[in-house]
Amino acid sequence: MPGKRIMVIGAGVSGLGAIKICLEEGLEPTCFEESNDIGGLWRYEEKTEGGRPSVYKSVISNTSKEMTAYSDYPFPDHFPNYLHNSKIMEYLRMYVKHFHILKHIRFLSKVCSVRKHSDFSFTGQWDVVVQAEGKQESYVFDGIMVCSGLFTNPIMPLQEFPGITRFKGQYIHSWEYKSPEKFQGKKIIVIGIGNSGVDLAIELSHVAAQVFLSTRRGAWIWNRVWDNGMPLDTVLFTRFNSLLNKICPAFLTNRWAENKLNAHFNHDIYGLLPQHSHQATFGDDLPNRIISGRVLMKPNVTKFTETSAIFEDGTEENVDVVIFATGYTYSFPFLENNSTVLDIQHSMYKFVFPPALEKPTLAFIGILQPVGATIPTSELQSRWAARVFKGMYLNSLRDARRVQYVDYMDEIASEIAVKPNLFSLFLWDPKLALEIFLGPCTPYQYRLQGPGKWAGAREAILTQRERIIKPLRTRTLIRDQAPCSVPFWLKSICVALPLFVLTFIINKG
């Protein structure tokens, strides 16, 4: 009996994972991709087609490879921990080839409309119209996975900046930026202190006459390299830390983080201290560019003249270029304007299913911003959605709540019975249990059991530290004697044993 026909919209990182999961579950996926290649946002192009956002030339991932991988396909061990966009694309092409995904993708195909079939309340089917090669084709699908991403429509809040239309210099959105060469010797103001704004300010400060970074609220600046030179997310996103977050009051956790970040550099002195906000931004080199005067922090712009920007503190600076790093909004123009479909209130159940649909056959994949990597989050959403499409694992829909990375991953994993059972593992495989509890919460943990179980999951978990360290050891040091210390396994057991018991009690409670 043929499997249900599923349409996947978009062949970016979420769409590719969705195709593979559908195949794994015996479904029949067809992916429609508007461009001529895979990769979505991660595919660098000097000139993007039809206003499609893509990364700029120098972009490096903010999440490390072990935390970013698909759950049954680790990155090669020689790949660096933080990946240039070209390395991400290389990995995606390897993934597509390994799982024979390409034949399920139809490129240069624009989804024009997705409407409920006439008997939707009974079948849950969808009528779809796709434009390809200058003509429109109609289809009927049993399920839809929307993987078109968050970064579809750049936000240009020109109305908030009086005088910008009279400004004689250049003003652009950050999505138009590709490389710094043409900004040589310019005075530039970057508006916005998210990851893109900080990245651009740092890069441009190497060639510009001066860069001003304007922010309303400030931000906490995080570094990709954390304690002992390890990738930040592999240290912080652990089940041990997740348990501590549940036990400790929020103000204590926040105080610890603030003290840790201020120990690197004082955010108040550097003009970055957030006001009524805990926005986190990556900016490894930002304090170096500020202390050397190449980037000057400024408050919000109140208005522009023909040649300058005037700030809230009354100061005025002549500028040649304004870059709005003011984010994106997402839209789904192909969906019918129906509150049960579009979910105007954004109350999607666990950020995946519109709660008012009669049949749960429409899933939004990767339409959220996790405090962590997108690939494993969207992949786990796809695994859940595929099981739901097959008639499994969905009870009543309730309002979703925003959760942290490990908590959200576990919540979705619980829906399809793939969350690792720590207490059982501690009894039967303590070595693995300790790495799962104290080590980074990598995607491989969700392939140990249940549907989609992967035989290589245990080995991938136990060798993840080797893959983190290998690309760093390009110069081998010769020591006379290895440093003496308490064995790691002994320290781990001393710390973990009482916490395992506490975890078991909390889960049972």
Side-chain angles (χ1 to χ4, degrees), residues 357-390:
L357 275 179
E358 305 98 299
K359 295 286 185 178
T361 56
L362 172 66
F364 292 86
I365 306 299
I367 313 296
L368 80 168
Q369 289 184 297
V371 187
T374 298
I375 287 178
T377 308
S378 61
E379 183 196 31
L380 203 48
Q381 289 177 329
S382 293
R383 292 175 68 186
W384 179 36
R387 305 290 286 181
V388 170
F389 290 166
K390 293 172 67 175

Short mmCIF file of all heavy atoms in Angstrom, two decimals, residues 357-390:
data_model
loop_
_atom_site.label_atom_id
_atom_site.label_comp_id
_atom_site.label_asym_id
_atom_site.label_seq_id
_atom_site.Cartn_x
_atom_site.Cartn_y
_atom_site.Cartn_z
N LEU A 357 -7.30 23.55 13.29
CA LEU A 357 -7.59 22.72 12.12
C LEU A 357 -8.36 21.46 12.51
O LEU A 357 -8.06 20.83 13.53
CB LEU A 357 -6.30 22.32 11.41
CG LEU A 357 -5.69 23.29 10.40
CD1 LEU A 357 -4.41 22.72 9.83
CD2 LEU A 357 -6.67 23.59 9.28
N GLU A 358 -9.33 21.07 11.66
CA GLU A 358 -10.10 19.86 11.95
C GLU A 358 -9.22 18.61 11.90
O GLU A 358 -9.44 17.66 12.65
CB GLU A 358 -11.24 19.70 10.94
CG GLU A 358 -12.17 20.92 10.83
CD GLU A 358 -11.80 21.80 9.64
OE1 GLU A 358 -10.65 22.31 9.62
OE2 GLU A 358 -12.64 21.96 8.74
N LYS A 359 -8.24 18.62 11.00
CA LYS A 359 -7.31 17.51 10.87
C LYS A 359 -5.87 18.03 10.97
O LYS A 359 -5.53 19.02 10.31
CB LYS A 359 -7.49 16.80 9.53
CG LYS A 359 -8.84 16.12 9.33
CD LYS A 359 -8.93 14.85 10.16
CE LYS A 359 -10.23 14.11 9.86
NZ LYS A 359 -10.34 12.84 10.62
N PRO A 360 -5.00 17.40 11.76
CA PRO A 360 -3.63 17.89 11.92
C PRO A 360 -2.72 17.46 10.76
O PRO A 360 -1.80 16.66 10.94
CB PRO A 360 -3.20 17.26 13.24
CG PRO A 360 -3.95 15.96 13.28
CD PRO A 360 -5.28 16.22 12.63
N THR A 361 -3.01 17.98 9.58
CA THR A 361 -2.23 17.59 8.40
C THR A 361 -1.41 18.74 7.83
O THR A 361 -0.92 18.66 6.72
CB THR A 361 -3.17 17.05 7.30
OG1 THR A 361 -4.18 18.02 7.00
CG2 THR A 361 -3.84 15.75 7.75
N LEU A 362 -1.28 19.82 8.59
CA LEU A 362 -0.43 20.95 8.22
C LEU A 362 0.55 21.18 9.34
O LEU A 362 0.16 21.40 10.49
CB LEU A 362 -1.27 22.21 7.98
CG LEU A 362 -0.50 23.52 7.76
CD1 LEU A 362 0.29 23.47 6.45
CD2 LEU A 362 -1.45 24.71 7.76
N ALA A 363 1.85 21.12 9.04
CA ALA A 363 2.89 21.30 10.06
C ALA A 363 3.88 22.37 9.62
O ALA A 363 4.32 22.37 8.48
CB ALA A 363 3.63 19.98 10.31
N PHE A 364 4.19 23.27 10.54
CA PHE A 364 5.21 24.29 10.31
C PHE A 364 6.51 23.80 10.93
O PHE A 364 6.58 23.59 12.14
CB PHE A 364 4.78 25.62 10.92
CG PHE A 364 3.60 26.26 10.23
CD1 PHE A 364 2.31 25.93 10.59
CD2 PHE A 364 3.80 27.18 9.21
CE1 PHE A 364 1.22 26.50 9.95
CE2 PHE A 364 2.72 27.76 8.57
CZ PHE A 364 1.43 27.43 8.94
N ILE A 365 7.52 23.63 10.10
CA ILE A 365 8.79 23.06 10.55
C ILE A 365 9.88 24.14 10.54
O ILE A 365 10.11 24.79 9.53
CB ILE A 365 9.23 21.90 9.63
CG1 ILE A 365 8.10 20.85 9.52
CG2 ILE A 365 10.52 21.28 10.14
CD1 ILE A 365 7.70 20.20 10.82
N GLY A 366 10.52 24.34 11.69
CA GLY A 366 11.60 25.31 11.77
C GLY A 366 11.13 26.75 11.82
O GLY A 366 11.93 27.67 11.61
N ILE A 367 9.84 26.98 12.10
CA ILE A 367 9.33 28.35 12.15
C ILE A 367 9.38 28.82 13.60
O ILE A 367 8.38 29.19 14.22
CB ILE A 367 7.88 28.43 11.61
CG1 ILE A 367 7.76 27.68 10.29
CG2 ILE A 367 7.47 29.88 11.42
CD1 ILE A 367 8.59 28.24 9.15
N LEU A 368 10.56 28.80 14.16
CA LEU A 368 10.80 29.30 15.51
C LEU A 368 12.29 29.59 15.63
O LEU A 368 13.08 29.20 14.77
CB LEU A 368 10.38 28.29 16.58
CG LEU A 368 11.33 27.13 16.91
CD1 LEU A 368 10.87 26.43 18.18
CD2 LEU A 368 11.43 26.13 15.78
N GLN A 369 12.66 30.31 16.66
CA GLN A 369 14.07 30.62 16.89
C GLN A 369 14.51 29.96 18.18
O GLN A 369 14.37 30.54 19.26
CB GLN A 369 14.28 32.14 16.93
CG GLN A 369 14.13 32.81 15.58
CD GLN A 369 14.44 34.30 15.64
OE1 GLN A 369 13.76 35.06 16.32
NE2 GLN A 369 15.48 34.70 14.94
N PRO A 370 15.03 28.75 18.11
CA PRO A 370 15.45 28.07 19.33
C PRO A 370 16.69 28.71 19.92
O PRO A 370 17.47 29.34 19.21
CB PRO A 370 15.75 26.65 18.84
CG PRO A 370 16.17 26.84 17.40
CD PRO A 370 15.33 27.98 16.89
N VAL A 371 16.85 28.57 21.22
CA VAL A 371 18.10 29.00 21.87
C VAL A 371 19.11 27.88 21.64
O VAL A 371 19.58 27.22 22.55
CB VAL A 371 17.88 29.26 23.37
CG1 VAL A 371 19.13 29.86 23.99
CG2 VAL A 371 16.70 30.19 23.58
N GLY A 372 19.45 27.67 20.39
CA GLY A 372 20.30 26.58 19.98
C GLY A 372 20.21 26.38 18.49
O GLY A 372 19.76 27.27 17.76
N ALA A 373 20.60 25.22 18.02
CA ALA A 373 20.70 24.96 16.58
C ALA A 373 19.34 24.67 15.97
O ALA A 373 18.47 24.06 16.59
CB ALA A 373 21.64 23.79 16.33
N THR A 374 19.19 25.07 14.69
CA THR A 374 17.93 24.88 13.97
C THR A 374 17.78 23.45 13.46
O THR A 374 16.69 22.87 13.53
CB THR A 374 17.84 25.86 12.79
OG1 THR A 374 17.86 27.19 13.29
CG2 THR A 374 16.59 25.63 11.98
N ILE A 375 18.85 22.86 12.93
CA ILE A 375 18.73 21.56 12.28
C ILE A 375 18.15 20.49 13.20
O ILE A 375 17.15 19.85 12.85
CB ILE A 375 20.08 21.10 11.69
CG1 ILE A 375 20.41 21.92 10.43
CG2 ILE A 375 20.07 19.62 11.35
CD1 ILE A 375 21.75 21.59 9.79
N PRO A 376 18.71 20.25 14.39
CA PRO A 376 18.13 19.18 15.22
C PRO A 376 16.73 19.50 15.72
O PRO A 376 15.90 18.59 15.89
CB PRO A 376 19.13 19.06 16.38
CG PRO A 376 19.90 20.33 16.39
CD PRO A 376 19.94 20.81 14.99
N THR A 377 16.45 20.79 15.94
CA THR A 377 15.11 21.17 16.39
C THR A 377 14.08 20.89 15.32
O THR A 377 13.04 20.26 15.57
CB THR A 377 15.08 22.66 16.76
OG1 THR A 377 16.14 22.97 17.67
CG2 THR A 377 13.76 23.03 17.41
N SER A 378 14.35 21.35 14.10
CA SER A 378 13.39 21.15 13.01
C SER A 378 13.30 19.68 12.62
O SER A 378 12.23 19.18 12.27
CB SER A 378 13.77 22.00 11.79
OG SER A 378 15.04 21.65 11.29
N GLU A 379 14.42 18.94 12.72
CA GLU A 379 14.38 17.52 12.40
C GLU A 379 13.47 16.77 13.36
O GLU A 379 12.67 15.91 12.96
CB GLU A 379 15.79 16.93 12.45
CG GLU A 379 15.84 15.46 12.04
CD GLU A 379 17.13 14.77 12.44
OE1 GLU A 379 17.72 15.16 13.48
OE2 GLU A 379 17.53 13.83 11.74
N LEU A 380 13.56 17.09 14.64
CA LEU A 380 12.71 16.43 15.63
C LEU A 380 11.24 16.81 15.42
O LEU A 380 10.34 15.97 15.57
CB LEU A 380 13.17 16.80 17.04
CG LEU A 380 12.81 15.86 18.19
CD1 LEU A 380 13.12 14.41 17.85
CD2 LEU A 380 13.52 16.27 19.46
N GLN A 381 10.99 18.07 15.04
CA GLN A 381 9.62 18.46 14.69
C GLN A 381 9.10 17.62 13.52
O GLN A 381 7.95 17.18 13.52
CB GLN A 381 9.59 19.94 14.30
CG GLN A 381 9.79 20.91 15.47
CD GLN A 381 9.83 22.35 15.00
OE1 GLN A 381 10.27 22.64 13.89
NE2 GLN A 381 9.36 23.25 15.83
N SER A 382 9.97 17.38 12.53
CA SER A 382 9.56 16.59 11.36
C SER A 382 9.27 15.15 11.75
O SER A 382 8.32 14.53 11.24
CB SER A 382 10.67 16.62 10.29
OG SER A 382 10.81 17.90 9.74
N ARG A 383 10.06 14.60 12.65
CA ARG A 383 9.83 13.22 13.09
C ARG A 383 8.47 13.11 13.77
O ARG A 383 7.74 12.13 13.58
CB ARG A 383 10.95 12.78 14.04
CG ARG A 383 12.30 12.63 13.36
CD ARG A 383 13.40 12.32 14.36
NE ARG A 383 13.25 10.99 14.95
CZ ARG A 383 14.03 10.54 15.94
NH1 ARG A 383 14.98 11.33 16.45
NH2 ARG A 383 13.85 9.34 16.42
N TRP A 384 8.13 14.12 14.56
CA TRP A 384 6.84 14.13 15.23
C TRP A 384 5.71 14.31 14.20
O TRP A 384 4.72 13.57 14.20
CB TRP A 384 6.82 15.25 16.27
CG TRP A 384 5.53 15.38 17.02
CD1 TRP A 384 4.69 14.38 17.42
CD2 TRP A 384 4.93 16.60 17.46
NE1 TRP A 384 3.61 14.89 18.09
CE2 TRP A 384 3.72 16.26 18.14
CE3 TRP A 384 5.29 17.93 17.38
CZ2 TRP A 384 2.90 17.21 18.70
CZ3 TRP A 384 4.47 18.89 17.95
CH2 TRP A 384 3.28 18.53 18.59
N ALA A 385 5.88 15.30 13.31
CA ALA A 385 4.84 15.59 12.31
C ALA A 385 4.56 14.36 11.44
O ALA A 385 3.40 14.04 11.14
CB ALA A 385 5.25 16.78 11.45
N ALA A 386 5.60 13.66 11.03
CA ALA A 386 5.42 12.49 10.18
C ALA A 386 4.61 11.41 10.89
O ALA A 386 3.74 10.76 10.28
CB ALA A 386 6.79 11.93 9.77
N ARG A 387 4.86 11.24 12.18
CA ARG A 387 4.08 10.24 12.94
C ARG A 387 2.63 10.68 13.10
O ARG A 387 1.72 9.85 13.05
CB ARG A 387 4.71 10.02 14.32
CG ARG A 387 6.18 9.62 14.31
CD ARG A 387 6.41 8.24 13.79
NE ARG A 387 6.03 7.20 14.75
CZ ARG A 387 6.16 5.90 14.52
NH1 ARG A 387 6.66 5.47 13.38
NH2 ARG A 387 5.79 5.02 15.43
N VAL A 388 2.43 11.99 13.27
CA VAL A 388 1.07 12.50 13.37
C VAL A 388 0.33 12.31 12.05
O VAL A 388 -0.84 11.91 12.02
CB VAL A 388 1.08 13.99 13.77
CG1 VAL A 388 -0.31 14.61 13.64
CG2 VAL A 388 1.60 14.16 15.20
N PHE A 389 1.01 12.57 10.93
CA PHE A 389 0.39 12.37 9.62
C PHE A 389 -0.05 10.91 9.43
O PHE A 389 -1.00 10.62 8.72
CB PHE A 389 1.35 12.75 8.50
CG PHE A 389 1.62 14.23 8.38
CD1 PHE A 389 2.68 14.69 7.61
CD2 PHE A 389 0.83 15.17 9.03
CE1 PHE A 389 2.94 16.05 7.49
CE2 PHE A 389 1.08 16.53 8.92
CZ PHE A 389 2.14 16.97 8.15
N LYS A 390 0.68 10.01 10.07
CA LYS A 390 0.34 8.59 9.97
C LYS A 390 -0.74 8.18 10.98
O LYS A 390 -1.09 7.01 11.07
CB LYS A 390 1.60 7.75 10.20
CG LYS A 390 2.63 7.89 9.09
CD LYS A 390 3.95 7.21 9.44
CE LYS A 390 3.83 5.71 9.52
NZ LYS A 390 5.15 5.06 9.73
#
